[in-house]
Amino acid sequence: MKYEFPVTRTEHPKTKPDPDKLRFGVDFTDHMFIMDYEEDRGWYDPRIVPYGPFSIDPAAAVLHYAQESFEGLKAYKSAEGKVLLFRPDMNIKRMNRTAERLCLPVIDEALFIEAVKALVALEKDWIPDKEGTSLYIRPFVIATEPFLGVRPARQYKFMIILSPVGPYYEGGLAPTKIYVEDTYVRATPGGTGEAKCGGNYAASLKAQVDAAEKGFEQILWLDGVERRYVEEIGTSNAFFVIEDEVVTAPLEGTILPGVTRDSVIEVLRKKGMKVSERRLSVDELFGAAKEGKLKEMFASGTAAVISPVGEIRYKDEDIVINGGGIGPVAQELYDTLYGIQTGKVADTEGWMIEVE
Ligand code: COI
């Protein structure tokens, strides 16, 4: 089915940011997508309108009980000028799984993809094409019903906004310093760790701020039960190269099923590397580092892409990884994934979806 979304064009197009100075998530394009939901009507009135503030009742459920979800994906421009999306089907599938967990209404997969395409096509002049840049796409659902009782809301909005971005970390591919968090936890079994909802991120801020005060860019989360097993790095999935094995935490309910995580596993396995989705204790990690077996550590995510870790602290012990530089596995993954995304490396998996 072909969707048609009415477009109201802005009368005040903005000046685009300098492509050499793009940061993550500070600039927004001229238009946004919006659609409403009422319990007895379902989703209705999908449309593209000028980007800008909109009104919401102060009693809207999202403002009090955080009933919401969000996604993150990117659009790229190839050297030939093609506009490409990376695996948007994975985002809507995950968004609908989050919806199930947060009692949000699901969205038709085809409508989601057509809405992303329509908005990105309209804003294609905003897609930066310098190395390391892209157009970040942020779809989200919020509960708008004005009601202070605690139950699933009966009114929602689904919106998509776009932001031309540079690297998530200011240092780009420069390795980060990571603090192993042993006071706070990100997720527990039965909680919302595998859902992409704002509450998970709000609850992570305190640990991030404390780590920053100690001079670390991010935290490595441990499991919420035994505080022994490594889980995620900040807002990203975590990978560890121990001798010839690449290890990442298994998807058992507390880990966000990252689209980049899945792509990293696929790319590494296709290259013939051993990838294990298994529990890795912080003792094993530090033990491997002391024996010289920990070759690399990196974070993967839509925003962070592949972000190497150069140093890590647990309690009062520090280890430097790969001499504090980017390792060959992380570098090759970055080159392969960003290469596929920008059309420079063959897309053998059929991951890229062309807009228009
Ligand atoms: C992403 O990688 O897209 C994320 O959602 C992380 C984000 C919270 C910046």
Side-chain angles (χ1 to χ4, degrees):
M1 169 173 170
K2 179 90 187 97
Y3 294 91
E4 295 286 339
F5 306 118
V7 178
T8 309
R9 283 179 183 267
T10 181
E11 288 176 7
H12 308 285
K14 297 178 215 170
T15 307
K16 296 186 179 56
D18 179 345
D20 289 317
K21 293 192 183 137
L22 285 176
R23 289 180 294 146
F24 182 84
V26 292
D27 300 297
F28 299 94
T29 68
D30 284 323
H31 299 88
M32 61 189 187
F33 178 92
I34 185 162
M35 170 166 87
D36 298 295
Y37 178 94
E38 301 270 351
E39 194 174 53
D40 49 6
R41 254 180 108 172
W43 288 109
Y44 66 95
D45 203 9
R47 59 212 184 268
I48 292 175
V49 298
Y51 180 94
F54 60 103
S55 80
I56 188 170
D57 194 288
V62 65
L63 301 178
H64 303 271
Y65 308 126
Q67 199 199 354
E68 71 91 57
S69 79
F70 74 92
E71 274 298 322
L73 66 159
K74 282 176 171 171
Y76 309 82
K77 207 177 268 173
S78 74
E80 304 79 50
K82 278 190 199 162
V83 175
L84 301 165
L85 300 174
F86 184 64
R87 309 187 75 183
D89 51 309
M90 297 277 282
N91 295 94
I92 181 54
K93 288 195 167 76
R94 184 173 63 189
M95 192 168 217
N96 282 339
R97 288 196 305 272
T98 301
E100 174 69 23
R101 180 66 181 80
L102 276 283
C103 299
L104 298 160
V106 296
I107 292 172
D108 179 75
E109 289 185 16
L111 185 146
F112 174 97
I113 291 173
E114 291 306 315
V116 170
K117 281 185 174 174
L119 185 63
V120 169
L122 180 68
E123 304 285 61
K124 62 174 184 287
D125 292 345
W126 282 87
I127 307 174
D129 56 7
K130 291 231 149 166
E131 172 67 29
T133 65
S134 56
L135 185 70
Y136 187 76
I137 304 168
R138 171 53 63 84
F140 57 104
V141 176
I142 53 172
T144 50
E145 185 190 2
F147 177 60
L148 294 185
V150 178
R151 60 148 171 74
R154 293 175 182 156
Q155 294 164 359
Y156 298 86
K157 280 190 193 299
F158 168 61
M159 301 179 67
I160 308 172
I161 56 173
L162 307 177
S163 174
V165 297
Y168 186 72
Y169 293 110
E170 279 181 13
L173 265 184
T176 51
K177 279 176 72 180
I178 302 289
Y179 185 81
V180 182
E181 177 56 52
D182 58 353
T183 302
Y184 305 105
V185 295
R186 177 188 170 275
T188 49
T192 57
E194 66 184 352
K196 200 153 178 66
C197 56
N200 287 347
Y201 296 78
S204 76
L205 296 176
K206 175 68 176 148
Q208 189 180 313
V209 167
D210 287 1
E213 275 169 10
K214 296 184 191 102
F216 294 84
E217 270 106 348
Q218 267 304 348
I219 48 219
L220 174 62
W221 294 106
L222 297 180
D223 76 282
V225 177
E226 296 180 60
R227 313 275 180 110
R228 274 182 67 196
Y229 298 100
V230 301
E231 296 216 319
E232 295 189 5
I233 295 174
T235 60
S236 311
N237 295 115
F239 284 84
F240 307 84
V241 184
I242 300 177
E243 295 201 292
D244 60 356
E245 180 191 21
V246 183
V247 183
T248 193
L251 300 180
E252 288 172 351
T254 56
I255 302 293
L256 188 85
V259 178
T260 312
R261 175 189 181 280
D262 185 80
S263 311
V264 163
I265 294 174
E266 196 68 33
V267 166
L268 290 176
R269 285 190 177 145
K270 281 265 153 68
K271 288 186 196 289
M273 292 192 72
K274 178 181 173 197
V275 184
S276 310
E277 296 176 71
R278 67 166 177 88
R279 296 187 116 197
L280 172 67
S281 73
V282 72
D283 292 339
E284 182 185 342
L285 176 66
F286 273 66
K290 280 176 205 151
E291 289 167 25
K293 294 180 183 163
L294 176 64
K295 305 292 181 205
E296 291 184 47
M297 174 172 166
F298 55 89
S300 78
T302 296
V305 195
I306 300 295
S307 172
V309 173
E311 218 179 303
I312 140 168
R313 176 178 299 172
Y314 178 52
K315 301 205 189 280
D316 46 19
E317 229 183 309
D318 288 296
I319 50 178
V320 173
I321 302 162
N322 193 45
I326 180 165
V329 176
Q331 183 70 59
E332 196 181 339
L333 275 170
Y334 177 84
D335 293 342
T336 305
L337 287 174
Y338 191 66
I340 292 173
Q341 290 160 343
T342 49
K344 290 194 283 278
V345 171
D347 170 27
T348 52
E349 306 300 319
W351 282 340
M352 303 313 295
I353 303 289
E354 199 172 334
V355 171
E356 291 181 319

